[in-house]
């Protein structure tokens, strides 16, 4: 399934939300659905049973943490949840690497590339939110020092 094919299946309640504009969120939802497709392949082999569970949990956590962070009001709170999403994305990439013996090489490479893209986006998002928090803190301090 391609990203464009997948987008057509996403309910309007999700695509009409302003959160949908966040690229990392869209990609992480897509990845979560792909991991559901990969799950049966992993569960077939006893050595990768635990990989399947961990993979589903970690991929699902990425979009959930992005959504939680997006709903926060301050840069500091947003950054914290975006950092959680970043951790889950890195964990997911690790689980996909470990599952490579049970999935096709092209599927694993696609998922790892997708996760690397999500990780890069999240690093920028965390950095942006941290800078926003620093600007707000600096402005607050400057306002307190004014007579």
């Amino acid at each position: 399934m391609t990203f464009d094919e997948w987008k057509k299946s996403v309910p309007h309640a999700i695509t009409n939300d302003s959160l949908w504009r966040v690229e990392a969120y869209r990609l992480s939802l897509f990845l979560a659905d792909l991991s559901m497709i990969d799950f049966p392949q992993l569960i077939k082999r006893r050595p990768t049973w635990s990989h399947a569970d961990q993979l589903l949990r970690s991929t699902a956590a990425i979009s959930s943490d992005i959504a939680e962070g997006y709903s926060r009001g301050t840069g500091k709170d947003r950054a914290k949840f975006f950092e959680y999403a970043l951790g889950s994305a890195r964990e997911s990439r690790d689980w996909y690497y470990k599952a490579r013996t049970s999935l096709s090489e092209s599927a694993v490479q696609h998922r790892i590339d997708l996760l690397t893209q999500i990780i890069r986006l999240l690093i920028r998002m965390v950095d942006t939110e941290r800078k926003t928090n620093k600007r707000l803190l600096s402005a607050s301090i400057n306002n307190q020092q004014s007579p």
Side-chain angles (χ1 to χ4, degrees):
M1 165 181 5
T2 68
F3 183 72
D4 289 332
E5 293 169 342
W6 170 81
K7 276 195 318 189
K8 293 174 186 174
S9 71
V10 179
H12 290 295
I14 292 175
T15 60
N16 288 338
D17 190 312
S18 61
L19 177 59
W20 184 251
R21 292 190 307 249
V22 178
E23 185 178 6
Y25 177 73
R26 291 190 310 268
L27 294 175
S28 62
L29 281 180
F30 177 50
L31 177 69
D33 281 355
L34 290 175
S35 70
M36 291 295 291
I37 293 169
D38 297 334
F39 182 83
Q41 295 302 315
L42 296 174
I43 207 73
K44 282 182 187 177
R45 296 184 57 225
R46 182 137 173 76
T48 56
W49 283 0
S50 63
H51 294 63
D53 180 59
Q54 292 290 341
L55 192 60
L56 287 180
R57 290 171 188 264
S58 62
T59 58
I62 302 168
S63 59
S64 298
D65 288 334
I66 293 170
E68 182 74 22
Y70 185 81
S71 300
R72 300 298 170 143
T74 66
K76 182 180 178 181
D77 288 338
R78 283 184 175 200
K80 177 174 65 173
F81 281 96
F82 293 161
E83 286 171 344
Y84 294 156
L86 178 58
S88 293
R90 286 182 168 147
E91 179 186 352
S92 297
R93 188 170 59 179
D94 181 70
W95 283 115
Y96 265 113
Y97 175 77
K98 291 172 182 169
R100 72 191 181 285
T101 59
S102 296
L103 299 171
S104 73
E105 185 177 334
S106 62
V108 171
Q109 190 60 53
H110 176 255
R111 305 326 183 244
I112 288 175
D113 290 346
L114 187 57
L115 281 157
T116 301
Q117 185 178 356
I118 292 167
I119 288 166
R120 287 182 179 141
L121 290 167
L122 285 167
I123 288 171
R124 287 198 312 249
M125 290 166 63
V126 168
D127 188 52
T128 298
E129 293 305 326
R130 284 181 182 157
K131 287 178 182 173
T132 300
N133 191 51
K134 287 178 184 174
R135 282 194 303 270
L136 292 174
L137 181 60
S138 177
S140 174
I141 290 170
N142 289 337
N143 287 339
Q144 291 173 359
Q145 292 175 353
S146 299

